[in-house]
Amino acid sequence: MRKSLLALLVVVPAGLAYGQALPGADFPAPQRTIKLSPQVRSSPVTEALPAVALTSINSFLLSNRIVDKVEDFDTAPYIVAGDAERVLSGSGDRVFARGHFAADQAGYGIFRQGKVYTDPQSKEILGINADDIGSGEVVATEGDVATLILQRTTQEVRLGDRLFRHEERPVSSTFIPSEPATAINGLIIDVPRGVTQIGALDVVTLNKGQRDGLAAGNVLAVMKTGETVRDRVSGLPVKIPDEPAGMLMVFRTYDKLSYGLVLNTSRSLAVMDKVQNP
């Protein structure tokens, strides 16, 4: 028994470093134990979103526009009559409009006044939604009355519809997702197409615009606003926390308002849901 125990004794040569294999040994040298701590590799949300081609979302975007002041509607040219005293007109019809027409401007967009947007928190008037009705080309003018041929209509053109110059906006074939340059804490205040439950590829109106630092291509996280419920134990109202519910991309900005396209959702969104930096 003693002889077998002595056979297990190993003499470590002088100068052999810890962890180095023993000469002639047929078993591995002892290794140091290294403890690893789990870590999360984080990156901006926008890096996970590919560039969005205009052609792939063009059918979901709006031709509506925002007018900053009510006075802009009051001073804009308007449809005064239809051909052969028609009240309603469509594409290809001739109509007559009254107002000031620039000599160098042949084409005009036709709009109808929609909602007047007011900030839910500050009560400031942010702008007026102008619903896109169509477009027309001026073919003749006499005094303050112009004759136009309707080139495109989304619905019947009515007497009183307003004419505005086409917006001069740079055309980008691709939207590059990016983070806003400033902190954004805004709200969805309208759905121009009139739906009540907002889902992917719906267009929404935000109460933040260029003055707040928003630009086309900016991506925002949508937070589902938590409901206020009654605590049955205490009898007092309690606010349920807001929850992440989707992402949207701003595609058109005005001074105080913006249009955004919902990219994805994990649940139905609604007016008054919040938007913020991702």
Side-chain angles (χ1 to χ4, degrees):
M1 182 67 179
R2 182 175 180 180
K3 184 178 180 180
S4 61
L5 290 174
L6 291 174
L8 295 176
L9 294 176
V10 178
V11 178
V12 179
L16 186 65
Y18 179 83
Q20 182 177 349
L22 298 175
D26 57 356
F27 52 87
Q31 301 292 325
R32 291 183 182 273
T33 301
I34 301 176
K35 294 184 178 180
L36 299 178
S37 299
Q39 295 179 340
V40 176
R41 182 181 180 275
S42 62
S43 60
V45 173
T46 51
E47 290 185 5
L49 297 175
V52 181
L54 179 63
T55 54
S56 64
I57 63 172
N58 190 54
S59 60
F60 300 102
L61 305 185
L62 285 178
S63 296
N64 290 10
R65 63 190 290 179
I66 298 295
V67 177
D68 291 330
K69 297 177 293 184
V70 177
E71 292 78 8
D72 293 337
F73 263 101
D74 295 338
T75 58
Y78 57 93
I79 303 295
V80 69
D83 196 18
E85 300 183 357
R86 293 177 183 171
V87 178
L88 302 176
S89 303
S91 181
D93 289 343
R94 186 173 62 162
V95 295
F96 304 93
R98 187 178 184 185
H100 174 72
F101 296 90
D104 59 345
Q105 183 71 27
Y108 284 84
I110 303 172
F111 297 88
R112 188 171 300 150
Q113 182 170 339
K115 296 180 181 179
V116 177
Y117 293 127
T118 303
D119 190 278
Q121 299 167 336
S122 67
K123 306 305 178 184
E124 176 189 10
I125 294 179
L126 303 177
I128 304 98
N129 181 60
D131 293 325
D132 173 55
I133 305 299
S135 61
E137 181 181 1
V138 176
V139 294
T141 57
E142 183 175 342
D144 63 350
V145 177
T147 303
L148 295 91
I149 301 297
L150 298 179
Q151 299 175 316
R152 175 187 63 86
T153 57
T154 61
Q155 53 183 294
E156 294 86 355
V157 175
R158 303 176 185 174
L159 305 184
D161 286 342
R162 298 286 175 167
L163 279 65
F164 289 95
R165 292 188 177 196
H166 294 302
E167 290 182 297
E168 295 182 1
R169 291 182 172 274
V171 178
S172 176
S173 60
T174 305
F175 290 98
I176 306 298
S178 59
E179 292 191 41
T182 58
I184 301 295
N185 290 288
L187 296 168
I188 295 175
I189 61 172
D190 189 33
V191 188
R193 288 196 171 103
V195 299
T196 55
Q197 296 297 315
I198 306 168
L201 299 181
D202 279 332
V203 172
V204 296
T205 306
L206 311 178
N207 68 332
K208 300 295 180 181
Q210 295 171 359
R211 70 173 183 176
D212 304 291
L214 279 181
N218 283 171
V219 175
L220 297 172
V222 184
M223 303 294 291
K224 185 69 180 175
T225 302
E227 299 178 355
T228 299
V229 299
R230 179 177 175 272
D231 185 336
R232 295 189 178 185
V233 176
S234 67
L236 300 175
V238 59
K239 170 74 165 53
I240 302 299
D242 300 336
E243 295 182 316
M247 302 286 291
L248 64 79
M249 181 185 67
V250 175
F251 67 87
R252 190 181 306 159
T253 59
Y254 294 88
D255 184 33
K256 306 173 186 178
L257 294 164
S258 296
Y259 287 131
L261 179 71
V262 178
L263 299 177
N264 57 66
T265 61
S266 58
R267 55 193 300 184
S268 294
L269 308 178
V271 171
M272 298 307 291
D273 282 343
K274 300 172 183 177
V275 295
Q276 62 186 41
N277 298 59

